[in-house]
Each structure stands twice: as C-alpha cells, then as structure tokens.
Amino acid sequence: MACTLVPDLQIEALDDGYLILRPGHHDVVRLVGDQIEAFDLAREGVADVPDHLQPAMAGLVELGIVRSDTWSRRRVIQLGGAAAAAAATVVALPGVAAAASTPGTSTTGNPPTTAPAGFSVSYLVVAGGGAGCDYYQGGGGGAGGVLRAEGIALALGNHTVVVGAGGTNYGDGHNSSLGTSALAIGGGKGDTTDRPAGDGGSGGGGGLDHFDGGSGTTDQGHAGADATFIYDGKPYWAGGGGGGAGAAGAKGRIVNGKLSAGKGGDGVYSDLAAAVGIGSPSGYVGGGGGGSSWYLDLNTTGGSGGKGGGGRGTVATLSPGNWNGAANTGSGGGSNGRGGSGVVIVAYDIAAAVGRSITGGTVTDVGTTRYHVFDSVGTHTFSIG
C-alpha cells in the first residue's frame, strides 16, 4: 500500500476536521480542507492517491502523520509537501496531560476546552538560491523557495530558525525554516558540464550538456528553462534561465540575428522585506539566475537575472565573472556565480506583544509593527515568552 497512517496517532474527530497528536510531539495538528480527505484515504491504506489530493497527502507525509512506501523524499518535495505541511495549523499543547486519549484510538467530541497558547505573527522565509552554471552555455541557478504567511499562530517558547546559504561550486542552495511552521527548499543548481540542472524551491536552468531545466516546488517557486529552442524552423541552444519564485525561467531567443541566453524568472514582492530594506530592488526576493551563451555565427549575450536579485549570465568568449545572486534574497547565481543567501523575517503588532518577552534576530520597529530579521546564514532562535 502506498499511504498509511503512522502508528500510535491520537485522533479527535471534529465537525469540520480532525485534531491529531503525533507520537513524541507536544503539539496538535488540525486538518482541514483537502487534508481531511487525504487523511481518510490514508486510514483506508490507499494505493493510488488521486492527483488533486497528492499535494495534501505529501503534506501529511511531511508532518509525520502518513507514511508512504512508494513515494521518495524527492517526490514528496516535488508535490509540494513542505508547503502543504506549512499550511496546516500546528498549535502547542498547554501540557502533556492535555491529550489524555489512549494512543492509537479515535475519539469524538469537541476540542479541548483549554485552548493552546499561541501568538499571531506574519513571516517571510526564503531559502538559499542555487549556484549558476559554468560560463560555457550552462543554465542559471534557481531561486530558493519563498514562503509568506499572515496571521499564523506560533506556540509560546523557542523556535529554531535556519537561514540557508546560497549554493557554491555549482551546487544547490540550502533550505531555510521557521520552527515547524515553514520549510523553504533551496534553489536548484544550473546545468554544468558534469552535472544536470537541479530541482529545488525553483529549478536550475538547462544547458548544452544536459538540456533540461530543473523542477520547482509547488507554491514556493518555478521550473528552470530548457536549453533548446526553435527559431525560424531551426534548432538552437543556449543556457536556460533559472526559475524564480514568481515565474519560470525563460529559454534563449534570437532577436535581429542576435542570440541571448535565457533570462532568470522574476521573484516576488514582500512587504515585510520592503519594510526592513531587504531585496533587489527593495522588497523583491527570489529571482532566478541568467543562463550563459556562446554561438560561433551569432553575436551573443548572457541572460539577465530575474527581478529579485538573480545573477546575470555571460558568454564563453569573456572571462568568467563573479555573477552572484544578491545576498538575503535567495536568488539564483548566473555564470560561475554562487546563489544568494536566504532570510527569515517574523513580524507582529507591537501592541499585541505588551507584557511579553520576544527575542531573536535584529529587531526593527516600523510604525505599529515590529520585525525580527534573521539575515545571517546558520541556526538561530526566535523566542516567545
């Protein structure tokens, strides 16, 4: 069977969904929408998951509620499992005794009368971008995944924050996360001589050696472009643009006899990023890297980076440049360039925090909103007391 429930779940049925307590956790997951139908199928041990429920089922796998003996980790990522899991409501229990039902049993009735404590925030989580191609007709790096949410209840206590580095040495970008609430997937690397384009938050662009662009992650980014295209009935090739958080990478094109490699896909705008002066231009994150190009009988140019900090591509007849993605944008690298590092921003209403101790990152107040900015690669702590 493909999908079954993890053993020893504690399950409480509600009028509009389920409350799930997972073994070894002290929080409750509330299932709604497609998650309910996917959960019911897993209880039956479904072998074939309908297409429209596959993202929700992948989210349940990511949450540790469902296990699959046929879906690989890569398949779960491609189906958008991380984004679907991040969309689920996860709230902390006020104490271990708050869930008193017997493991492995199902009960019915109303939710606990004592509501789990939490604090409402908005967040931006951006993963590191993928590194660009080598400079000989390779693809641009894909942008790191971008996750945005408003009005999310975070449990009181400590939350681990990870800021992912951009890819280097033609490698994939690294994931970023905010506790168990959001996991953004690193961008895919651009095609190089010995490695095909990578899948990721957004996929890397294809190149002369492997042609196909990488895949993006649902609700986080888009695919990188392939290296082949047709113009005036004839085949041509040039490095494809890396995928961006807001749009897919573009293929190469010929205009007035001049060939340009593929442009990186554009990123997305975040008001949280704009408020604290992050982005390229301000507020825009997750741009894909431009592809590289070289053609003996055409005047050629490298592809431009996508809006949101994507690195620019170059041409093989030039010395390779340092075409990096912009820092703290999760953008993809261009020719021979590394991906941009990620960033995590948590924001909330200042008035709502009166009487609380909330720490972590660089704190900036803009109007009535307070921002905690984590812009250094590595592991940090965001604490709500």
Side-chain angles (χ1 to χ4, degrees), residues 193-263:
T193 303
D194 58 349
R195 281 171 275 185
D199 301 330
S202 289
L208 178 62
D209 298 289
H210 305 284
F211 298 109
D212 296 332
S215 299
T217 300
T218 303
D219 296 329
Q220 294 200 23
H222 295 78
D226 300 340
T228 56
F229 66 100
I230 302 297
Y231 174 77
D232 198 23
K234 295 172 58 179
Y236 291 86
W237 60 90
K251 292 187 176 185
R253 60 196 184 101
I254 296 176
V255 178
N256 296 327
K258 184 176 182 178
L259 181 144
S260 175
K263 174 186 177 296

Side-chain angles (χ1 to χ4, degrees), residues 29-30 32 35 54-63 73-90 123 125 145-149 152 175-177 180-186 200-201 216-221:
V29 181
R30 181 165 185 160
V32 296
Q35 298 166 348
Q54 288 186 5
M57 188 69 80
L60 297 183
V61 173
E62 190 76 17
L63 286 165
R73 175 65 182 158
R74 179 176 178 180
R75 179 60 175 160
V76 170
I77 291 173
Q78 289 176 332
L79 289 171
T89 301
V90 182
Y123 64 69
V125 179
V146 176
L147 294 174
R148 299 172 289 177
I152 300 299
N175 299 345
S176 293
S177 58
T180 60
S181 298
L183 173 64
I185 307 301
T217 300
T218 303
D219 296 329
Q220 294 200 23

Side-chain angles (χ1 to χ4, degrees), residues 23-42:
H25 288 71
H26 300 312
D27 53 25
V28 174
V29 181
R30 181 165 185 160
L31 304 183
V32 296
D34 286 346
Q35 298 166 348
I36 299 172
E37 189 174 352
F39 181 82
D40 287 337
L41 287 178

